């Protein structure tokens, strides 16, 4: 299996840092970001939900990431990230959703 290279757009990396700085659950944010990086290295088109063209979305609580898959170059470009908190009544923990 060929691995993909995951590249974060500078603005997405800055948003991640801002989310982390303001988070009360920094360990969860760090864990989610690491999980996103690891997941997107392996068959990224199958890891998330297809949005349009080459753009996909993946959720790892408490983060949601939008990324572009460039299969001919084996590159994943993380374009945008935001905090996504599941409703407390859902019972969802950390992990892929």
């Amino acid at each position: 299996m060929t691995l993909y290279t995951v590249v974060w757009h500078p603005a997405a990396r800055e948003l991640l840092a801002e989310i982390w700085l303001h988070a009360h659950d920094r360990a969860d944010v760090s864990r989610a970001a690491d999980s996103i990086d690891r997941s997107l290295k392996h068959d990224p088109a199958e890891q998330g939900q297809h949005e349009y063209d080459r753009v996909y979305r993946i959720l790892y609580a408490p983060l949601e990431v939008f990324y572009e898959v460039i299969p001919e170059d084996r590159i994943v470009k993380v374009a945008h990230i935001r905090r996504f908190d599941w409703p407390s009544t859902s019972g969802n923990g950390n992990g892929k959703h």
Side-chain angles (χ1 to χ4, degrees):
M1 171 187 270
T2 304
L3 294 178
Y4 280 69
T5 300
V6 179
V7 178
W8 286 68
H9 187 281
R13 185 61 73 188
E14 288 176 21
L15 282 170
L16 175 58
E18 187 176 320
I19 290 167
W20 186 85
L21 284 172
H22 293 92
H24 59 83
D25 55 349
R26 288 181 175 173
D28 290 341
V29 170
S30 295
R31 199 168 15 260
D34 290 342
S35 294
I36 289 166
D37 272 336
R38 279 193 311 276
S39 292
L40 295 182
K41 289 180 182 181
H42 305 279
D43 200 9
E46 295 298 319
Q47 299 299 324
Q49 178 180 345
H50 184 249
E51 293 293 314
Y52 60 91
D53 295 330
R54 296 181 174 193
V55 177
Y56 295 80
R57 174 175 58 110
I58 193 169
L59 297 170
Y60 273 88
L63 301 176
E64 179 178 37
V65 165
F66 292 84
Y67 61 96
E68 178 183 5
V69 178
I70 307 168
E72 61 272 15
D73 295 329
R74 296 286 193 201
I75 292 176
V76 175
K77 292 183 179 180
V78 176
H80 182 70
I81 187 169
R82 66 181 178 181
R83 180 158 185 119
F84 183 92
D85 290 311
W86 292 97
S88 60
T89 58
S90 70
N92 288 322
N94 291 326
K96 185 176 171 184
H97 299 283

